[in-house]
Amino acid sequence: MLAIFQKTFAHPPEELNSPASNLTGKTPKLPGETLSDFLSTHPDSSFSMNFADSAVLAFVRQESSHRPRMFSGIDGIYCVFLGTLNNLCDLNKQYGLSGKSSNEAMFVIEAYRTLRDRGPYPADQVLRGLDGSFAFVVYDAQTSSVFAALGSDGAESLYWGIAADGSVVMSDDIKIIKQGCAKSFAPFPTGCMFHSESGLMSFEHPKNKMKAMQRIDSEGVICGANFKVDACSKINTIPRRGSEANWSLANSS
């Protein structure tokens, strides 16, 4: 999968952008070039969706049952989901999807919409309730918002980086990330979630801040940043009021 979001609304962490990307022989590519590379790698099984100049989603149709991959779009919300949820049936009942033909991507869309519109639970609580191996990226075309998460077990892979124009690039294909982002990339941290408004946080340890650690590659060059939970730093929680109270991604308990 491949997802590219314009920097004006995605707001990726500044630490992902390595100064070395403009000093080494390989420089980051523009989003259109990275998309072409991805589609050419899977010419017979891939497709893409463009949302004006704001976002691009590309997906490779599942070719093996050993690596489940799903793509869904409902009412302007789109989700690429990698992996499986062992408790999908129970989750469907909890979110009112019982009796419907629903897969993991459709469930994530419904859970996201519930968080966005009503927010009865903190987002970290919802994600901790997912039993399985997963990585997903959600794009909300109505609000130009991005929501992504990677499971705690590390069975699925997700990488992110910065394109030549500052856009954030996400993919499970590290080769595509390296080609498109040069030195400005890193693995997405396990047990974490990212929202374009509230940034990166751990859903396993929601009360702790995230700390950026410089990544040094085999050539001794700074290559983006790894993000770790800072056990010594706590997030000051403030009760939500008004419309902000309905967006449970912005704060956690």
Side-chain angles (χ1 to χ4, degrees):
M1 57 80 67
L2 175 69
I4 305 176
F5 305 106
Q6 194 178 68
K7 65 177 181 179
T8 53
F9 71 86
H11 309 303
E14 295 181 1
E15 294 87 351
L16 272 181
N17 198 354
S18 171
S21 287
N22 296 318
L23 301 176
T24 58
K26 295 183 179 179
T27 58
K29 296 183 178 181
L30 292 169
E33 297 174 297
T34 297
L35 175 61
S36 295
D37 290 343
F38 180 85
L39 295 177
S40 64
T41 303
H42 312 278
D44 300 322
S45 57
S46 61
F47 68 90
S48 65
M49 295 182 66
N50 290 269
F51 301 86
D53 295 325
S54 299
V56 174
L57 295 176
F59 181 72
V60 178
R61 295 178 181 86
Q62 183 173 324
E63 298 177 348
S64 170
S65 59
H66 299 294
R67 297 191 67 198
R69 300 289 186 262
M70 283 150 271
F71 176 88
S72 291
I74 303 172
D75 297 333
I77 305 173
Y78 302 87
C79 176
V80 179
F81 188 98
L82 317 178
T84 57
L85 296 177
N86 301 322
N87 59 338
L88 180 61
C89 290
D90 292 336
L91 292 168
N92 283 339
K93 293 177 182 177
Q94 181 180 347
Y95 285 84
L97 293 175
S98 56
K100 300 179 181 179
S101 177
S102 175
N103 58 28
E104 281 86 346
M106 295 172 66
F107 159 74
V108 168
I109 289 175
E110 188 61 35
Y112 166 85
R113 182 159 46 188
T114 300
L115 288 169
R116 183 194 67 181
D117 297 342
R118 300 188 297 277
Y121 314 109
D124 57 88
Q125 180 179 331
V126 174
L127 292 176
R128 286 197 303 273
L130 306 186
D131 177 18
S133 301
F134 63 88
F136 66 77
V137 178
V138 171
Y139 175 60
D140 186 343
Q142 299 177 22
T143 62
S144 294
S145 299
V146 181
F147 181 39
L150 178 62
S152 305
D153 61 2
E156 295 294 337
S157 298
L158 186 63
Y159 305 91
W160 58 346
I162 306 298
D165 65 349
S167 296
V168 61
V169 182
M170 296 181 173
S171 179
D172 62 330
D173 188 334
I174 190 171
K175 182 179 179 181
I176 290 295
I177 288 286
K178 285 183 175 180
Q179 291 176 344
C181 303
K183 299 294 184 180
S184 295
F185 78 96
F188 193 93
T190 57
C192 289
M193 62 184 185
F194 171 79
H195 185 260
S196 48
E197 291 298 324
S198 52
L200 178 69
M201 67 176 293
S202 167
F203 61 78
E204 292 183 307
H205 306 282
K207 294 184 178 180
N208 294 90
K209 293 182 179 180
M210 300 295 295
K211 183 178 182 180
M213 311 283 289
Q214 284 188 345
R215 288 195 329 119
I216 308 296
D217 65 11
S218 59
E219 300 174 349
V221 178
I222 296 175
C223 187
N226 285 325
F227 295 88
K228 306 288 186 181
V229 174
D230 188 348
C232 300
S233 180
K234 299 289 185 179
I235 296 174
N236 294 322
T237 58
I238 301 173
R240 296 183 297 256
R241 294 182 175 86
S243 61
E244 187 179 346
N246 295 328
W247 182 238
S248 294
L249 292 166
N251 224 337
S252 302
S253 58

